[in-house]
């Protein structure tokens, strides 16, 4: 009788241990699946991050190149403006000189006309 009771208790414990092992295996399988899913999601997220970083890097590079092109164009335009300003200053100076010379030439022509008139008057008077 005592042996039967011990056997029954042992069988009950064995059955409970088996049930517990099955339950633990199910839990472990679920955890493994969750871990694999988490790893997969992490890898997907990392791939997306890498693509975004590359896109940002490329976009940033394109923007830097565009800025450099615009800066170069701005330098060219500033140089052209400086050259035009220098040419304008030179032409303004030359125009002033020409006005002065024209004035001198008018004065000389006026003097010559006055001399010619005097000479004509003196010829007529004699």
């Amino acid at each position: 009788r005592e042996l039967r009771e011990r056997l029954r208790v042992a069988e009950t414990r064995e059955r409970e241990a088996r049930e517990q092992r099955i339950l633990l295996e199910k839990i472990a399988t679920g955890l493994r699946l969750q871990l694999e899913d988490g790893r997969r999601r992490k890898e997907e997220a990392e791939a997306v991050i890498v693509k975004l970083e590359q896109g940002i890097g490329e976009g940033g590079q394109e923007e830097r190149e565009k800025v450099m092109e615009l800066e170069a164009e701005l330098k060219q335009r500033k140089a052209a403006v400086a050259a035009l300003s220098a040419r304008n200053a030179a032409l303004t100076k030359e125009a002033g000189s020409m006005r002065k010379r024209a004035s001198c030439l008018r004065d000389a022509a006026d003097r010559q006309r006055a001399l010619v008139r005097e000479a004509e008057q003196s010829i007529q008077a004699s």
Side-chain angles (χ1 to χ4, degrees), residues 18-68:
R18 215 179 5 228
E19 289 171 357
Q20 210 169 18
R21 191 185 80 240
I22 291 170
L23 181 63
L24 289 173
E25 285 175 359
K26 286 180 181 178
I27 291 171
T29 301
L31 289 174
R32 260 189 248 109
L33 290 174
Q34 286 180 0
L35 181 63
E36 287 173 16
D37 186 52
R39 284 183 186 149
R40 184 182 48 78
R41 286 184 180 189
K42 179 184 174 195
E43 289 171 1
E44 289 172 357
E46 287 173 345
V48 167
I49 289 169
V50 167
K51 285 181 183 177
L52 286 173
E53 286 174 345
Q54 288 174 344
I56 289 170
E58 290 169 4
Q61 182 63 30
E62 288 173 14
E63 290 300 317
R64 281 190 291 276
E65 289 173 3
K66 190 168 187 171
V67 166
M68 289 172 63

Side-chain angles (χ1 to χ4, degrees), residues 53-118:
E53 286 174 345
Q54 288 174 344
I56 289 170
E58 290 169 4
Q61 182 63 30
E62 288 173 14
E63 290 300 317
R64 281 190 291 276
E65 289 173 3
K66 190 168 187 171
V67 166
M68 289 172 63
E69 287 173 11
L70 291 173
E71 286 175 345
E73 185 178 339
L74 180 63
K75 283 181 184 177
Q76 289 175 344
R77 289 186 180 195
K78 282 183 177 180
V81 166
L84 287 173
S85 292
R87 175 123 173 91
N88 189 32
L91 289 173
T92 301
K93 186 177 179 181
E94 188 178 340
S97 296
M98 289 181 144
R99 277 193 298 275
K100 190 173 183 181
R101 186 164 180 230
S103 176
C104 289
L105 289 173
R106 270 193 307 274
D107 290 346
D110 288 344
R111 284 193 302 275
Q112 286 294 323
R113 278 192 291 272
L115 286 174
V116 167
R117 259 190 317 242
E118 283 179 26

